[in-house]
Amino acid sequence: MQVKPGYLDPADQAELLSEIVAAISAAPFFTPRMPRTGKPFSVVMTNCGPLGWVSDRAGYRYQPTHPETGAPWPAMPERLLEIWNALSGYPGPPEACLVNYYRPGARMGLHVDADEEDFSAPVLSVSLGDTALFRVGGTRRRDPTRSFRLSSGDIMLLTGETRRAYHGIDRLYPGTSRLLTPYGDLFPEGGRINLTLRRVTPVSG
Ligand code: MD6
Ligand code: FE
């Protein structure tokens, strides 16, 4: 695992957020649901890039289109490709950027990102908005965990051993950032946006 606190300065964060807001207007948030039970997640999601991660009663998967509008996902912002090129060490571009929006009170249970075909690529996460408490453990659910805060502008990569580690978000610290304030229509309660860049299929050749 690698953590890059404050990798994006406030101006970079604001520019990236404006690009993500544009993507959200083309590909509105949807409420993911647990496979089988249909229980809703407390976060809402959308994606950009050639593939997007979705979850519904049928299961977890990557697909090229939005589950409600049927449209292709919006393009991945160039700025995210540059971050991936600078930090991933992977010889190909990311194929999916999952956008998670946490209202105050939303959380993400412990999980492993396991729906990709190529585990040699890291998963790169960008935090925007309110600070969150991130927890990471080992490859078995019962392994001990440690927790740390992710703040707006921080970048974290799950690489190597931790690529298959359990991780999640226990809570937000509401009101710790004003980054989302200009978009009060979309985010009336503030909150946090997390972007995760993923390579899904192996680079060929
Ligand atoms: C979050 N992050 O930060 C949830 N997954 O809101 C993740 O689930 C995650 O941060 C894979 C790699 C990095 C992550
Ligand atoms: Fe994850």
Side-chain angles (χ1 to χ4, degrees), residues 117-139:
E117 295 164 25
D118 189 350
F119 287 91
S120 72
V123 178
L124 186 157
S125 115
V126 182
S127 292
L128 296 172
D130 285 343
T131 297
L133 186 62
F134 182 80
R135 180 198 292 267
V136 59
T139 53

Side-chain angles (χ1 to χ4, degrees), residues 102 111 113 123 125 134 156 158 167 169 192 194 196 198:
Y102 295 74
H111 67 276
D113 288 33
V123 178
S125 115
F134 182 80
M156 203 253 321
L158 291 186
H167 60 275
I169 294 287
R192 171 175 184 262
N194 175 254
T196 46
R198 294 106 184 282

Side-chain angles (χ1 to χ4, degrees), residues 20 23-24 26-30 44-48 53 66 73-74 97-101:
I20 295 301
I24 294 164
F29 286 126
F30 61 92
V44 291
M45 297 182 170
T46 188
N47 291 270
C48 49
W53 188 86
H66 190 287
W73 303 107
C97 172
L98 174 62
V99 180
N100 288 153
Y101 170 57

